[in-house]
Amino acid sequence: MRILIANVNTTASMTETIRAQAAASASPGVEIVGLTPSFGPESVEGNFESYLAAVAVMDRIVRYDEPYDAVIQAGYGEHGREGLQELLDVPVVDITEAAAQVAMLIGRTYSVVTTLDRAVPQIQDRLLLAGLNERCASVRASGLPVLELEADPARAADAIVVEARRAVDEDRAEVICLGCGGMAGLDQKISAATGVPVVDGVAAAVTLAEGLVRLGLSTSKVRSYAPPRPKTVTGWPIVR
């Protein structure tokens, strides 16, 4: 089985961090391929950058010319999952939705701890669109930009712990979701500091993607995610 995991930004070192975490979570014999978009922002923090990244991720995956069995979009709260589901015949899993779905299996409520405050409404909207918001106790910001997660992991972990503890104590969250692909691998440290389960969206997405492949299931093409109708699209960067 081969699973593609697409970073939404163009920072190659972050792609490798995400790929390594995904590989560590994968079953024996499952190959994880990390993909970095060929254009787009170095980090995604806001709607403009998110929409740009969505196009870049679709472009990168469509250009991948080897067989694969599933795709993971490794951007928390980002746009584009629906477009990938229209374009592809294999299962597509978004780390935002994967983390929330797993969290709801192990607790009554969950909270997300993300990067900057500007990301909070975007994540809330993503959860609402996916029908996963009712059991979300809160979405909290650590105040760290995406690239600082990689530059100073110890400081990042400390900042996440502060907000995770507040989510548990003040918002009554029973599970914490790490709200950025760049937080991959911090779950055990945050769990030890808070005393509650912590879900890494990358690891959760790998497990769900594997399960869908083994079940022989993929996206329904009946209505919502039917393939795009053939038509002329001027200037579109995606080459199919």
Side-chain angles (χ1 to χ4, degrees):
M1 185 189 306
R2 177 183 288 161
I3 298 175
L4 307 184
I5 185 159
N7 183 9
V8 296
N9 66 48
T10 56
T11 301
S13 57
M14 189 165 290
T15 302
E16 175 53 25
T17 297
I18 292 168
R19 188 211 62 79
Q21 176 66 6
S25 306
S27 299
V30 175
E31 179 186 4
I32 303 292
V33 177
L35 299 180
T36 304
S38 60
F39 62 91
E42 63 180 350
S43 63
V44 180
E45 295 165 324
N47 284 287
F48 164 71
E49 293 168 353
S50 179
Y51 280 111
L52 178 60
V55 177
V57 167
M58 287 187 282
D59 173 74
R60 183 65 184 89
I61 290 172
V62 169
R63 291 177 189 272
Y64 185 81
D65 58 3
E66 298 292 333
Y68 55 92
D69 301 289
V71 168
I72 295 170
Q73 178 174 290
Y76 214 95
E78 310 303 344
H79 302 89
R81 185 262 297 163
E82 297 89 345
L84 288 171
Q85 287 182 300
E86 288 187 8
L87 287 172
L88 306 177
D89 293 325
V90 301
V92 176
V93 180
D94 172 77
I95 66 169
T96 319
E97 297 170 17
Q101 288 162 341
V102 169
M104 292 191 297
L105 294 174
I106 56 176
R108 182 176 179 275
T109 58
Y110 70 93
S111 285
V112 178
V113 179
T114 188
T115 52
L116 299 177
D117 184 64
R118 66 177 298 159
V120 171
Q122 193 171 315
I123 292 171
Q124 290 172 329
D125 287 349
R126 188 79 228 170
L127 294 172
L128 178 63
L129 182 65
L132 299 168
N133 62 304
E134 288 190 4
R135 288 163 62 185
C136 181
S138 60
V139 180
R140 286 181 167 269
S142 65
L144 292 175
V146 170
L147 296 181
E148 283 193 27
L149 297 173
E150 187 175 48
D152 192 345
R155 178 170 175 254
D158 290 343
I160 295 165
V161 164
V162 169
E163 292 305 321
R165 283 175 172 161
R166 288 173 177 166
V168 173
D169 295 340
E170 299 173 19
D171 307 328
R172 313 304 294 169
E174 298 176 4
V175 182
I176 297 297
C177 294
L178 298 179
C180 178
M183 295 177 181
L186 295 177
D187 50 327
Q188 293 185 1
K189 183 171 185 177
I190 309 305
S191 182
T194 59
V196 301
V198 175
V199 181
D200 179 337
V202 170
V206 170
T207 301
L208 292 180
E210 284 188 24
L212 289 170
V213 174
R214 292 196 173 95
L215 288 168
L217 296 174
S218 191
T219 306
S220 172
K221 296 294 183 177
V222 170
R223 187 175 298 111
S224 301
Y225 306 118
R229 295 181 62 201
K231 63 183 70 174
T232 300
V233 181
T234 304
W236 188 247
I238 292 177
V239 176
R240 299 190 67 194

